[in-house]
């Protein structure tokens, strides 16, 4: 069928549905409702879709559109749930199970007939992690079911007046409900509030006399202080005392009227450093390895199990600043000093990496120079992976990867990918040529012609398509909570493979041959020349695209994807 996705933003779920519906043979296009109702009407009139699917909407569809066309709304709540803050209520109420419902658009929001529904379990994670993983898995299953039922033509959607449906109307989950009382709330209560708003909208609070949104929360078991006091900083995060403990807060977002010229999310310590008079918060070293039973936060961790090393990293939003790249490179070098035969890179769940940190760049005094510095640090990390020849390196993607983050994965010897992951192995939509040795690794995996198409078309690629065309070596069909354990089992088996010594010898020989044919330094030099020209040209589209992305303003076009074929075979 011809399917039109209408979304307020081309977010992770919209991209995944685009890729997976395309994999099922549908012709899919996208229009952004953030630009108002007219672009939606225009897209419907021009494309004449058989079906309209709305994966994520902050505003209602135009009435003339849903009256004249079948429009399916993806609602992140179980059948009968109504309201714009469904996941917030689920986390606040400590729900153990939740669901996604695909329903038909009508005049009353979320009241339409039900085409499909899929339940999911709710692990103790942040809202954005839950949305991108368990909720996303359920949404894809429900949408594919609804689309199949619509195409077959015989299915009658279930009206919500049916006695089997219990209607629950929920209000907007406002900041008053998120408010933290640092004097009275215990650590678990504080963590629940922080995790329930980790990406959006954050928890409104006050620090150093300014209003600020807190993003993300992790427990701390040793540091203590007066409730509400700032105790320390670590790897860009700040530690704040609770009534009975403390929590680490990785990111802050200054309120727009706070006087901060960069009112968007970025590492908490960076925000406070521009406000705080006098000495900075004491630095609490980030432990690379944690003893059993410790509850503390760090964004980079290492552990070893027999002949396998696991270097886990988890950065908010998948973005990697200059400092984060340098710390990860130091951790990688430390991991290489350990006696292992296989080294696994990647966190236990959610994002793998999305490349350079656009928010930190946007807030820098000189964004062009910070772009250049950040890219150099990213290149150093990727080059270190490419030059590793004494052990097998596996990139284990529990979640999505894009741009330089996707190329970091491709630098590994093997790429293992959880089913449901979306890859964006391109840079064009941010106005960039790209670096991270993509001109070496991408053609090496998929061939020069397909590499050109991937980077020029700049479309999301599903895990299934990535596996079929050679971007991914192994699909891991595991639930988000089970991915890390399954990767551990597979890596242990790999380390015990009888032919591993032969694989390592072949790898070292191939690297030597490739270096002789064209040194890695040449790839890096040529890519960086193109990137330098963009970064230091104030008229380059990259700067406006970056600002729009970071500041959440509508992009230049309501149609984020140019029409293009999906046959990557």
């Amino acid at each position: 069928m011809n399917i039109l996705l209408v979304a307020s933003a081309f977010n992770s779920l919209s991209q995944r549905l685009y890729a997976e519906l395309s994999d099922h043979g549908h012709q899919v296009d996208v229009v952004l409702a953030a630009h108002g109702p007219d672009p939606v009407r225009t897209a419907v009139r021009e494309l004449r879709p058989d079906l309209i699917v709305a994966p994520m909407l902050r505003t209602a569809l135009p009435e003339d559109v849903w009256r004249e066309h079948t429009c399916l709304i993806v609602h992140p709540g179980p059948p009968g749930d109504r309201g714009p803050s469904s996941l917030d209520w689920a986390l606040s109420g400590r729900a153990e199970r939740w669901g996604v419902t695909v329903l038909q658009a009508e005049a009353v929001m979320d009241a339409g007939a039900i085409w499909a529904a899929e339940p999911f379990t709710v692990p103790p994670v942040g809202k954005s992690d839950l949305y991108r993983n368990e909720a996303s898995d359920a949404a894809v299953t429900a949408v594919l079911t609804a689309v199949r039922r619509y195409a077959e033509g015989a299915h009658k959607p279930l009206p919500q007046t049916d006695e089997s449906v219990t209607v629950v109307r929920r209000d907007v989950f406002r900041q008053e409900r998120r408010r933290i009382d640092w004097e009275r709330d215990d650590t678990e209560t504080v963590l629940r509030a922080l995790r329930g708003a980790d990406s959006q909208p954050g928890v409104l609070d006050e620090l150093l006399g300014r209003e600020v949104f807190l993003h993300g929360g992790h427990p701390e078991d040793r540091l203590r202080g007066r409730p509400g006091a700032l105790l320390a900083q670590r790897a860009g995060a700040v530690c704040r005392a609770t009534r009975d403990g403390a929590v680490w807060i990785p990111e802050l977002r200054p309120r727009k009227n706070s006087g901060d010229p960069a009112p968007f999310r970025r590492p908490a310590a960076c925000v406070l450093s521009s406000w705080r008079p006098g000495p900075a918060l004491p630095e609490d070293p980030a432990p690379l390895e944690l003893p059993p039973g410790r509850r503390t936060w760090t964004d980079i961790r290492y552990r070893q199990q027999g002949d396998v090393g696991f270097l886990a990293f988890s950065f908010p939003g998948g973005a990697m600043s200059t400092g984060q790249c340098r710390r990860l490179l130091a951790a990688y070098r430390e991991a290489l000093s350990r006696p292992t035969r296989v080294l696994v890179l990647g966190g236990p769940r959610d994002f793998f990496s999305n490349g350079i940190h656009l928010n930190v760049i946007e807030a820098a005094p000189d964004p062009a120079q910070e772009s250049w510095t950040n890219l150099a640090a990213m290149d150093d990390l990727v080059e270190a992976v490419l030059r590793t020849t004494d052990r097998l390196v596996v990139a284990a993607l529990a979640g999505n990867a894009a741009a330089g983050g996707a190329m970091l994965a491709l630098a590994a010897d093997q790429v293992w990918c959880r089913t449901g992951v979306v890859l964006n192995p391109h840079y064009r939509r941010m106005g960039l040529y790209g670096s991270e040795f993509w001109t070496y690794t991408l053609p090496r995996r998929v061939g020069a012609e397909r590499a050109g198409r991937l980077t020029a078309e700049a479309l999301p690629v599903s895990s299934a398509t990535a596996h079929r065309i050679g971007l991914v070596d192994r699909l891991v069909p595991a639930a988000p909570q089970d991915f890390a354990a399954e990767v551990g089992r597979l890596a242990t088996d790999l380390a015990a493979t009888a032919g591993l010594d032969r694989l390592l010898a072949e790898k070292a020989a191939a690297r030597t041959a490739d270096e002789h044919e064209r040194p890695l330094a040449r790839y890096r030099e040529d890519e960086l020349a193109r990137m330098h020209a963009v970064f230091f040209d104030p008229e380059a589209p990259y700067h406006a695209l970056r600002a729009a992305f970071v500041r959440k303003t509508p992009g230049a076009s309501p149609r984020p994807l140019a029409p293009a074929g999906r046959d990557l075979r």
Side-chain angles (χ1 to χ4, degrees):
M1 293 190 296
N2 291 332
I3 298 177
L4 176 63
L5 298 183
V6 181
S8 292
F10 198 43
N11 70 343
S12 60
L13 179 57
S14 302
Q15 291 184 27
R16 183 173 173 187
L17 284 174
Y18 175 90
E20 299 219 14
L21 286 168
S22 299
D23 283 354
H24 280 73
H26 302 292
Q27 179 64 43
V28 189
D29 207 327
V30 183
V31 63
L32 299 183
H35 291 264
D38 287 342
V40 176
R41 293 187 177 102
T42 300
V44 170
R45 183 173 62 252
E46 292 178 353
L47 298 171
R48 302 177 65 184
D50 302 307
L51 181 65
I52 296 171
V53 178
M56 189 278 288
L57 281 179
R58 299 190 185 99
T59 57
L61 285 170
E63 182 176 353
D64 54 311
V65 170
W66 61 258
R67 285 196 182 278
E68 297 173 12
H69 302 268
T70 299
C71 300
L72 302 183
I73 307 296
V74 181
H75 176 69
D81 177 85
R82 298 182 187 177
S85 305
S86 185
L87 288 181
D88 301 81
W89 287 104
L91 293 174
S92 174
R94 306 187 196 188
E96 295 181 356
R97 286 180 67 78
W98 206 242
V100 172
T101 306
V102 178
L103 46 87
Q104 191 157 336
E106 64 168 47
V108 179
M109 195 74 73
D110 302 329
I114 298 168
W115 280 86
E118 186 71 19
F120 62 86
T121 58
V122 182
V125 298
K127 181 175 68 173
S128 59
D129 185 339
L130 180 68
Y131 178 82
R132 285 188 292 267
N133 289 282
E134 282 82 1
S136 176
D137 286 355
V140 169
T141 299
V143 168
L144 292 177
T145 299
V147 169
R148 174 179 54 78
R149 288 171 173 172
Y150 178 79
E152 291 171 350
H155 182 76
K156 301 293 184 184
L158 179 70
Q160 294 196 37
T161 54
D162 189 273
E163 62 181 12
S164 66
V165 180
T166 301
V167 174
V168 180
R169 298 175 177 84
R170 307 179 196 274
D171 295 332
V172 175
F173 202 91
R174 301 188 183 281
Q175 281 294 339
E176 291 75 19
R177 294 184 177 274
R178 306 184 194 276
R179 183 74 67 178
I180 295 172
D181 187 332
W182 294 95
E183 293 286 343
R184 296 184 180 182
D185 291 344
D186 61 18
T187 300
E188 292 306 315
T189 301
V190 172
L191 286 173
R192 191 163 60 252
L194 292 171
R195 288 171 174 169
D198 61 344
S199 177
Q200 289 294 333
V203 175
L204 183 61
D205 203 10
E206 185 175 300
L207 281 173
L208 306 181
R210 302 199 196 192
E211 286 191 311
V212 64
F213 293 91
L214 317 178
H215 291 271
H218 305 270
E220 163 59 35
D221 58 2
R222 293 183 180 175
L223 296 176
R224 296 291 183 271
R226 178 179 53 80
L230 292 169
L231 306 177
Q233 61 180 319
R234 173 192 292 168
V238 296
C239 188
R240 195 171 187 188
T242 65
R243 175 174 62 81
D244 62 345
V247 295
W248 288 98
I249 302 170
E251 293 187 312
L252 300 176
R253 175 169 59 92
R255 200 168 188 176
K256 288 187 176 180
N257 62 1
S258 67
D260 193 298
F264 43 81
R265 285 170 52 196
R266 56 196 196 276
C270 295
V271 175
L272 293 184
S273 66
S274 63
W275 297 357
R276 188 181 182 90
L281 285 171
E283 183 75 27
D284 194 63
L288 184 58
E289 298 176 80
L290 290 178
R294 275 227 65 187
R295 295 184 78 208
T296 191
W297 171 86
T298 177
D299 48 9
I300 303 171
R301 290 183 180 177
Y302 179 80
R303 67 181 178 89
Q304 191 168 325
Q305 182 178 319
D307 288 333
V308 183
F310 297 88
L311 182 57
F313 50 93
S314 179
F315 304 118
M320 296 169 62
S321 67
T322 301
Q324 288 165 331
C325 290
R326 289 172 176 169
R327 287 191 297 105
L328 184 53
L329 175 57
Y332 183 80
R333 287 172 173 160
E334 174 63 26
L336 292 182
S337 72
R338 308 298 176 90
T340 59
R341 290 163 61 79
V342 173
L343 178 58
V344 179
L345 306 179
R349 47 181 297 142
D350 209 14
F351 284 119
F352 180 79
S353 171
N354 286 325
I356 60 176
H357 203 312
L358 298 178
N359 288 44
V360 170
I361 290 169
E362 181 70 12
D366 186 345
Q369 183 59 50
E370 181 56 33
S371 298
W372 182 248
T373 305
N374 196 167
L375 186 61
M378 193 81 191
D379 275 7
D380 289 343
L381 173 63
V382 175
E383 184 169 357
V385 177
L386 286 170
R387 292 193 182 278
T388 300
T389 57
D390 64 342
R391 69 202 71 197
L392 213 62
V393 181
V394 174
L397 278 62
N400 299 345
M407 303 313 163
L408 171 61
L410 297 187
D413 303 302
Q414 294 188 20
V415 179
W416 299 353
C417 188
R418 190 181 86 83
T419 51
V421 163
V422 174
L423 290 90
N424 279 280
H426 51 76
Y427 305 80
R428 182 171 65 83
R429 298 193 185 281
M430 196 51 63
L432 297 174
Y433 175 75
S435 190
E436 293 94 7
F437 300 89
W438 78 265
T439 53
Y440 170 63
T441 58
L442 194 58
R444 182 179 62 166
R445 279 190 163 268
V446 302
E449 180 183 355
R450 188 174 284 137
R453 292 176 59 193
L454 285 169
T455 53
E457 292 178 351
L459 300 174
V461 178
S462 71
S463 59
T465 292
H467 184 246
R468 188 177 71 245
I469 66 177
L471 282 176
V472 168
D473 299 289
R474 183 194 292 269
L475 293 180
V476 182
Q481 288 286 83
D482 301 329
F483 178 77
E486 182 63 12
V487 165
R489 184 187 68 79
L490 292 170
T492 299
D493 290 346
L494 178 60
T497 301
L500 185 57
D501 287 336
R502 176 182 53 81
L503 290 176
L504 291 174
E506 292 173 352
K507 167 186 177 177
R511 176 84 286 280
T512 299
D514 286 353
E515 188 72 11
H516 179 74
E517 180 178 346
R518 190 182 189 207
L520 286 178
R522 285 286 306 280
Y523 288 98
R524 179 169 180 160
E525 178 184 332
D526 291 348
E527 291 171 358
L528 288 180
R530 301 283 292 268
M531 294 291 274
H532 187 278
V534 171
F535 287 159
F536 292 95
D537 177 4
E539 301 302 317
Y542 160 70
H543 300 291
L545 291 168
R546 182 193 67 238
F549 175 83
V550 168
R551 298 173 186 274
K552 308 299 182 187
T553 57
S557 171
R559 301 278 287 279
L561 302 182
R566 288 288 299 159
D567 183 10
L568 297 176
R569 292 173 297 178

